[in-house]
Amino acid sequence: MSRNVTIVEIAKESGVSTATVSRVLSGSGPVSPKTKARVEEVVRKYGYCPNPLAQGLILRQSRTLGMIIPNITNPYFSTLVGIIERAAHEAHYSIILCITSFTATSHKSGGQETEEDYFQMILDKKVDGVIIAGGQIDLCEVSDSYKAALEKLAKAIPVVVIGQTLPDIPCCFVNKEHEKGMVIAVRYLASLGHCRIGFAGGEPGIIITESRLQTYRAVLEQLGLDTDPDLVSVSDYYLPDGYNAAKKLLELDRPVTAILAMNDNIAIGAIRAISDYFLSVPDDIALISCDQFMDGNFLTPRLTSLERHTERLALHVIRLLLSMIQGTQAPEPPDLYPDLIIRESSGKHL
Amino acid sequence: MSRNVTIVEIAKESGVSTATVSRVLSGSGPVSPKTKARVEEVVRKYGYCPNPLAQGLILRQSRTLGMIIPNITNPYFSTLVGIIERAAHEAHYSIILCITSFTATSHKSGGQETEEDYFQMILDKKVDGVIIAGGQIDLCEVSDSYKAALEKLAKAIPVVVIGQTLPDIPCCFVNKEHEKGMVIAVRYLASLGHCRIGFAGGEPGIIITESRLQTYRAVLEQLGLDTDPDLVSVSDYYLPDGYNAAKKLLELDRPVTAILAMNDNIAIGAIRAISDYFLSVPDDIALISCDQFMDGNFLTPRLTSLERHTERLALHVIRLLLSMIQGTQAPEPPDLYPDLIIRESSGKHL
DNA sequence: CTGAAAGCGCTTACAG
DNA sequence: CTGAAAGCGCTTACAG
């Protein structure tokens, strides 16, 4: 950080006090048109810009927001970050990005760098607000230390978290919708005549997985279809998980005829496994991705998938945070009702 | 930003001056063991942490780095961001992420928010250093206003840019390697007996595209193979671009027998198009992705691709920036020699 | 080893 | 409408 023009120089050159310069810059307080013009000229000449550190010290704000995510490689999170950064920038805020590398398994094995540490760090940074997406908040069982750290954070600054609502913590919790899409997808597959519908991907102990699983079972029962535990294969959210899950579902004594994939990664891995068994999608196995990551029209086969409107979620979250910071009215919650986009992979009626 | 415990409280409670508290916290200057212990105790009790704004004002550093990218949705950039954030965090720096939405076409049509504006913003934020990846720097023709803005930025703080070297600008430029991989890929396809090798994807006027194109033509000529302009179809880097490019290459009077795809998106789109022509990869068309985004082993067909070691690049870039900031020796340049990972899509000898 | 004081660059009552 | 002065929370010569 090099030495820059300061308000003192500008004041001197303009022949006024720093107070006046400050006034014309902030637009607060009365300034005569002439003085104003003169100061503005000098400001322009030097390309002067107030030091945000000094401003922040007085104003108690940094015009900086923290965003904490477990992973940036996952399209869900990168979409979130993209939209949020853009909206924040338009509102003249910057985003400090924190990537915790949290995974349910690393957590169990006692990951070294914890999300709690990041909470503290972001608190120390004196940001004006924080968005937390995913991580431990998605666990069915949230640790006490996490709750304590989140509470401490939320008591100090506005925070909105995307994930389950934790009681007695002064955050805004924005809940994602996990059930409706599952109901739509299972019913659709059933309407096509499938009786053995597999569930592939997701991590046990994670809310999104468990609640989808529960819905899946409930709808299956309602419909009088098979609900063997064998029909379910969960491990994680990535390509190999889809591959292994599909493999398992195909090797059953009574194999599945349809698979619900947690997301596009799982679906792509599953397609690979299905091909390795010399079977095809959708002729032998129907497939639906429950979380669209890309335009399924360009995959082979064209992937039937659930659009969950991550952009709307992202926009809502940043607007909500901004409203908390500025003390304005909270925005209307967005329509997050998922859309089933029927393409080829789900096939036709059996 | 709420009111916090300050150094004054800590000093009072410890019965020493703020200077002493500052000394024990920073470890600079001599402090008697007893005083030190007492102060540390109080610090711990209050969970005190110096206000970084106040510190930054004096120390002229913010322990914050800027990272400017055009797009976070592209796996290349999200990988870069992931690695860089992690390394920065380990070195106790935070990352302010700036996403400019730059594309070559938006640029031509005169995009409203420019990268230059972001340069100014990040300068105003008083970050300690900046990493710039992609954007206008990847254009064959860089505008004067961009150069001027970059020069201004680089004169103020350390900046490393991933992209072509611009003369007379005091940045560290880290160049990516575009030719070698192309040579390997073209030669491999030729060795398999292909004579009509298409080139799909990429944006005209962008360095990575143009230099690969040049290499592609040079190798083809060297080998005495067809170099019709018709064999090339460029537009952009995403799924639809791969789809359209492959379509065009298949509709030629003398269609291609092999396609070089700029990256996995292009390859996936191309596979979709090839299937729509009732052709298959690799039986009818051989395919290589020149920029691996995911594990090609899980795609159908398994995708032969070039691994370009983005992680190594990312690590080098952040280390380089840190060395500039700290005035230490620059790290050794990484081995960015691309590896051709031969899987199914490139097929066997004709 | 320790403290009083100046100062980083700004903003905002408070006078005038 | 404008300026002198205090103060945001910290660090660092400078004395002692």
Side-chain angles (χ1 to χ4, degrees):
Chain A
M1 197 154 88
S2 68
R3 166 154 249 100
N4 261 297
V5 196
T6 74
I7 199 171
V8 178
E9 269 93 48
I10 302 297
K12 206 164 291 174
E13 178 104 6
S14 311
V16 298
S17 70
T18 62
T20 301
V21 175
S22 178
R23 280 187 203 106
V24 347
L25 251 26
S26 68
S28 71
V31 187
S32 84
K34 294 175 219 162
T35 344
K36 191 176 170 206
R38 188 147 29 96
V39 171
E40 278 172 345
E41 160 117 33
V42 177
V43 166
R44 210 170 311 117
K45 172 174 163 196
Y46 286 90
Y48 169 71
C49 171
N51 184 322
L53 263 29
Q55 280 188 136
L57 198 54
I58 297 190
L59 268 25
R60 302 182 171 286
Q61 60 156 17
S62 59
R63 290 231 152 241
T64 301
L65 270 20
M67 167 137 203
I68 305 178
I69 58 172
N71 172 332
I72 186 69
T73 272
N74 184 315
Y76 165 67
F77 291 112
S78 59
T79 301
L80 234 40
V81 170
I83 307 264
I84 288 174
E85 194 280 339
R86 184 192 191 87
H89 182 69
E90 280 168 10
H92 304 290
Y93 282 85
S94 303
I95 299 284
I96 290 187
L97 185 65
C98 305
I99 308 176
T100 64
S101 303
F102 173 90
T103 68
T105 40
S106 80
H107 179 249
K108 257 180 222 148
S109 63
Q112 47 297 27
E113 259 294 331
T114 65
E115 292 177 277
E116 287 92 313
D117 295 330
Y118 260 106
F119 288 0
Q120 185 59 51
M121 186 222 82
I122 207 75
L123 228 184
D124 295 342
K125 278 273 173 179
K126 309 291 176 196
V127 296
D128 297 340
V130 175
I131 293 171
I132 299 172
Q136 213 180 134
I137 191 74
D138 285 339
L139 247 34
C140 296
E141 304 282 340
V142 178
S143 75
D144 288 339
S145 83
Y146 181 91
K147 282 182 199 160
L150 182 58
E151 179 160 16
K152 184 173 174 191
L153 184 64
K155 278 184 171 159
I157 48 176
V159 2
V160 2
V161 356
I162 306 179
Q164 68 183 301
T165 302
L166 258 24
D168 305 325
I169 296 189
C171 295
C172 271
F173 292 93
V174 176
N175 302 301
K176 289 177 69 181
E177 210 294 304
H178 304 310
E179 284 83 34
K180 287 170 196 153
M182 207 23 123
V183 173
I184 297 171
V186 177
R187 285 191 170 278
Y188 183 71
L189 254 13
S191 78
L192 259 24
H194 292 282
C195 302
R196 291 188 65 76
I197 301 174
F199 183 107
E203 253 182 313
I206 296 278
I207 288 194
I208 182 168
T209 303
E210 299 295 346
S211 74
R212 280 183 174 172
L213 218 36
Q214 203 178 325
T215 307
Y216 154 88
R217 287 198 195 99
V219 178
L220 249 30
E221 262 171 34
Q222 222 173 64
L223 263 25
L225 302 180
D226 292 359
T227 60
D228 329 353
D230 280 353
L231 255 18
V232 173
S233 176
V234 295
S235 54
D236 208 333
Y237 299 94
Y238 303 96
L239 293 168
D241 305 292
Y243 184 83
N244 294 327
K247 223 174 130 180
K248 196 198 126 191
L249 297 174
L250 294 172
E251 277 175 356
L252 256 28
D253 288 340
R254 297 171 51 213
V256 299
T257 62
I259 294 178
L260 292 159
M262 277 298 271
N263 60 38
D264 284 14
N265 283 336
I266 298 294
I268 290 172
I271 291 171
R272 178 65 268 174
I274 294 167
S275 294
D276 284 350
Y277 279 77
F278 303 102
L279 262 23
S280 99
V281 178
D283 293 342
D284 302 301
I285 305 286
L287 182 66
I288 292 181
S289 163
C290 298
D291 217 335
Q292 170 162 279
F293 282 173
M294 56 179 99
D295 185 343
N297 255 321
F298 291 101
L299 294 175
T300 312
R302 295 179 214 272
L303 195 59
T304 292
S305 42
L306 244 8
E307 167 57 56
R308 303 184 65 232
H309 308 299
T310 302
E311 297 79 4
R312 290 182 198 164
L313 174 68
L315 226 38
H316 178 251
V317 159
I318 178 67
R319 285 178 183 155
L320 184 57
L321 183 62
L322 258 17
S323 79
M324 291 167 77
I325 292 172
Q326 295 158 358
T328 55
Q329 208 193 334
E332 287 297 309
D335 174 12
L336 260 24
Y337 200 92
D339 292 322
L340 181 67
I341 304 178
I342 298 173
R343 291 185 278 241
E344 291 171 1
S345 70
S346 47
K348 304 209 181 309
H349 200 286
L350 287 185
Chain B
M1 194 154 91
S2 68
R3 166 154 247 100
N4 259 296
V5 196
T6 74
I7 199 172
V8 177
E9 270 92 49
I10 302 297
K12 208 164 286 174
E13 179 103 7
S14 312
V16 298
S17 70
T18 61
T20 301
V21 175
S22 178
R23 279 186 204 108
V24 348
L25 250 27
S26 67
S28 72
V31 188
S32 84
K34 292 173 219 161
T35 343
K36 191 177 170 205
R38 191 149 25 97
V39 171
E40 278 172 345
E41 161 118 31
V42 178
V43 166
R44 208 170 311 116
K45 173 176 165 198
Y46 286 90
Y48 168 71
C49 171
N51 184 323
L53 262 29
Q55 282 188 133
L57 199 55
I58 298 189
L59 269 24
R60 303 183 169 283
Q61 60 155 21
S62 58
R63 290 231 151 243
T64 302
L65 270 21
M67 170 141 201
I68 305 179
I69 58 173
N71 171 331
I72 186 70
T73 272
N74 183 314
Y76 164 66
F77 291 112
S78 59
T79 301
L80 234 40
V81 169
I83 307 261
I84 287 174
E85 194 280 340
R86 185 192 190 87
H89 182 70
E90 279 168 10
H92 304 290
Y93 282 86
S94 302
I95 299 284
I96 290 189
L97 185 65
C98 304
I99 308 177
T100 63
S101 304
F102 173 90
T103 68
T105 41
S106 80
H107 179 251
K108 259 181 224 147
S109 64
Q112 48 296 27
E113 261 290 332
T114 65
E115 291 177 278
E116 287 92 314
D117 296 331
Y118 260 107
F119 287 1
Q120 185 59 51
M121 186 223 83
I122 206 75
L123 227 186
D124 296 342
K125 278 275 174 179
K126 309 291 175 196
V127 298
D128 296 342
V130 174
I131 292 171
I132 300 173
Q136 213 182 133
I137 190 73
D138 285 340
L139 246 36
C140 296
E141 303 283 339
V142 178
S143 74
D144 287 338
S145 83
Y146 181 90
K147 281 182 198 160
L150 182 57
E151 179 161 16
K152 184 174 174 194
L153 184 65
K155 278 184 171 161
I157 48 177
V159 1
V160 2
V161 355
I162 306 179
Q164 67 183 303
T165 302
L166 258 23
D168 305 324
I169 295 188
C171 295
C172 271
F173 293 93
V174 176
N175 302 300
K176 290 178 70 183
E177 210 295 303
H178 304 310
E179 285 83 34
K180 286 170 196 153
M182 205 23 119
V183 173
I184 297 171
V186 177
R187 285 189 169 279
Y188 182 71
L189 252 15
S191 78
L192 258 27
H194 292 281
C195 302
R196 291 189 64 75
I197 303 173
F199 183 107
E203 253 182 312
I206 296 278
I207 288 196
I208 182 168
T209 303
E210 299 295 346
S211 75
R212 279 183 174 171
L213 217 37
Q214 203 179 325
T215 307
Y216 155 86
R217 287 197 195 102
V219 178
L220 248 31
E221 263 171 33
Q222 221 173 68
L223 262 27
L225 302 180
D226 292 359
T227 59
D228 330 354
D230 280 354
L231 255 19
V232 174
S233 176
V234 296
S235 54
D236 208 333
Y237 299 93
Y238 303 94
L239 293 169
D241 304 293
Y243 184 81
N244 294 328
K247 224 174 129 181
K248 196 199 124 190
L249 297 174
L250 294 173
E251 278 174 357
L252 257 28
D253 288 340
R254 297 171 52 213
V256 300
T257 60
I259 294 177
L260 292 159
M262 276 299 272
N263 61 38
D264 283 14
N265 283 336
I266 297 294
I268 290 172
I271 290 171
R272 177 65 269 174
I274 294 167
S275 295
D276 283 350
Y277 279 77
F278 303 103
L279 261 23
S280 99
V281 177
D283 294 341
D284 303 300
I285 305 286
L287 183 66
I288 293 181
S289 162
C290 297
D291 216 334
Q292 170 162 278
F293 282 173
M294 56 179 96
D295 186 343
N297 254 321
F298 291 102
L299 294 175
T300 312
R302 295 180 214 270
L303 194 60
T304 292
S305 43
L306 245 7
E307 167 57 56
R308 304 186 62 230
H309 309 300
T310 301
E311 298 79 3
R312 289 184 199 161
L313 174 67
L315 226 39
H316 179 250
V317 159
I318 177 69
R319 284 180 183 152
L320 184 57
L321 183 62
L322 258 17
S323 79
M324 290 168 78
I325 293 172
Q326 294 157 359
T328 55
Q329 209 194 332
E332 286 296 310
D335 174 11
L336 258 26
Y337 199 92
D339 291 324
L340 181 68
I341 305 179
I342 298 172
R343 291 186 278 242
E344 289 171 1
S345 69
S346 46
K348 303 209 184 307
H349 200 287
L350 287 185

